[in-house]
Amino acid sequence: MTDIIDDLQWRGLIAQTTDLDDLRKALADGPVTLYCGFDPTAGSLHVGHLTQALTLARFQRAGHRPIALVGGATGMIGDPKPNAERTLNSPETIRQWVGNLKRQLSSFLEFTPEGAEPKPTDALLLDNAEWLGKLTAIGLLRDIGKHFSINQMLARETVKTRLEGAGMSYTEFSYVLLQSYDYVELYRRHGCTLQIGGSDQWGNITAGLDLIRRMEGNEPHGPAHALTTTLLTKADGTKFGKTESGAVWLDPELTSPYAFYQFWFNSDDRDIPRYLRIFSFRSREEIEELEQKTIERPAERAAQRALAEELTTLVHGEQECRNVIEASKALFGHGTLADLNPDTLGAALKEVPHVELSGTVRELPPLVDLFASTGLVPSKSAARRTIQEGGAYLNNAKVTDIEARVGEEDLLHGRYLVLRRGKRNVGGVILR
């Protein structure tokens, strides 16, 4: 089996472990069953969750058995935020979100095919509502709560921060008991001896290790382990996974495949080496070659393109990735706009300067007005100069008449217009 620890270290993924040598030995003796939890605090995973989902997949490819645990029960409470109480969502909303997360997580891991015999490395997709939903208040306090020290809980960084500010409800304060008990149940039911998570989860994970020791005596599967991954930040200081329009979601209804692709394609050259190591399944040699291309020929954006294609295919499928690539080329004059998938074209135009207008094509203003209203040029007079200088394009065809208007035949799929100033500045008009 692949030495997964060496691979994770090279990729810069390991932040903390309980005992690296013991963990390495357990993995070498494997296969090891490991898990990571994903609470449904929104209707979709976002790109920040990819680190954990793909790390589970790396362990599976290295010969181990991953469990993706969706928090149908813990999601009713929510892991404490550092600065404010979480909004509690309705049980119906949580159930819907759990279903969404299960569908998304299933695309990253290999499960037992229907009718086939399970293999030791086949993934499991579980919901902690299966056991936490049956837990009584007396059971929680008597069987689990007695193993937790209030002193230690109060010393946790998140708790201290909240107590110094607006305070914290008992609901959020008790979250660590539930997550720790998840680890106990998975240890009992599936022989799970490793939990992974972001480095901000270290306290919760190690509390689970301690609870396994206290409740199970580390028997019969031996001591459990913990491993956390580094939290990502961008080189420019902004939060990873955020754009001007908000979080980058895995759900195509919340973040289109085109916008998802562009998020990775537009990665800063300073960030792309880390992103490749954390998010790509390419070999070390391939990644180092792409890193070298970024240094030698940054304008080609070879590494960004490779990562964008790999992740868009993984999350949205090969066909959607092809649609996105064709749209990207066509918008900049290297393809036929009329042949593009209409949904992809519409999503692409929403990611560039654009204007949405009501009415029919006959009611649209002249092209110079449209260029100005999209923001491609600062004014109508600038639009006229752009046309006169040969730098204005409508649907990739050069515009030569400063009085030009749009006709019915110009509309793509009956509602879209692609405007371009020069080679790289693209805008759009969308008829509602």
Side-chain angles (χ1 to χ4, degrees), residues 362-383:
R362 294 179 181 178
E363 297 171 299
L364 289 179
L367 262 178
V368 291
D369 295 59
L370 294 177
F371 267 88
S373 61
T374 60
L376 283 175
V377 290
S379 63
K380 295 179 187 178
S381 59

Side-chain angles (χ1 to χ4, degrees), residues 342-420:
D343 292 336
T344 306
L345 176 58
L349 291 182
K350 288 184 178 180
E351 297 302 314
V352 299
H354 68 280
V355 60
E356 297 187 32
L357 301 172
S358 301
T360 66
V361 67
R362 294 179 181 178
E363 297 171 299
L364 289 179
L367 262 178
V368 291
D369 295 59
L370 294 177
F371 267 88
S373 61
T374 60
L376 283 175
V377 290
S379 63
K380 295 179 187 178
S381 59
R384 294 189 188 94
R385 284 196 303 275
T386 301
I387 293 173
Q388 290 168 339
E389 293 167 0
Y393 297 83
L394 169 63
N395 298 338
N396 288 338
K398 185 174 288 189
V399 179
T400 56
D401 182 3
I402 60 173
E403 304 297 332
R405 302 184 73 95
V406 176
E408 196 75 43
E409 69 282 1
D410 294 313
L411 289 178
L412 301 167
H413 302 296
R415 59 184 300 229
Y416 301 119
L417 298 170
V418 176
L419 310 180
R420 181 158 50 89

Side-chain angles (χ1 to χ4, degrees), residues 183-193 209-224:
Y183 204 170
V184 171
E185 283 290 337
L186 293 175
Y187 183 90
R188 289 171 175 170
R189 294 170 182 235
H190 302 286
C192 179
T193 54
L209 297 181
D210 191 54
L211 191 60
I212 290 172
R213 180 180 61 81
R214 292 173 181 273
M215 294 186 74
E216 305 299 303
N218 287 340
E219 296 293 340
H221 308 295

